[in-house]
Amino acid sequence: MCESLTHMDALTADIARVESLDTGKKLVHLIDREGDSIGHMRTLSSQRICWLIRGKAVFFCYISGHWL
């Protein structure tokens, strides 16, 4: 990993690399709780990339004026 990249930036780059392989299958990326970054997940979602986080027991996110 390049020292100038954060852990999450490196993860996002790896996901993009795997997505570019054109496997012909819908990929779902499994991300451990260290990857629990709403900003990065929103970016992936906007690119129609599927992901699943094994996250923390209690997590809230503010979306469209609502806490979820």
Side-chain angles (χ1 to χ4, degrees), residues 1-67:
M1 174 170 50
C2 176
E3 299 235 359
S4 63
L5 290 179
T6 67
H7 177 73
M8 286 304 302
D9 291 337
L11 175 63
T12 302
D14 285 343
I15 288 172
R17 183 185 56 77
V18 171
E19 287 285 332
S20 72
L21 295 176
D22 194 24
T23 63
K25 304 285 183 180
K26 184 64 176 173
L27 302 175
V28 178
H29 302 274
L30 305 176
I31 303 169
D32 204 3
R33 72 186 75 196
E34 290 85 16
D36 197 351
S37 164
I38 192 66
H40 286 85
M41 298 304 104
R42 285 179 176 165
T43 298
L44 293 174
S45 292
S46 72
Q47 298 169 3
R48 303 187 55 79
I49 294 174
C50 295
W51 49 269
L52 175 68
I53 294 178
R54 184 185 77 106
K56 301 170 187 166
V58 178
F59 180 78
F60 296 96
C61 177
Y62 192 73
I63 300 175
S64 301
H66 303 284
W67 284 101

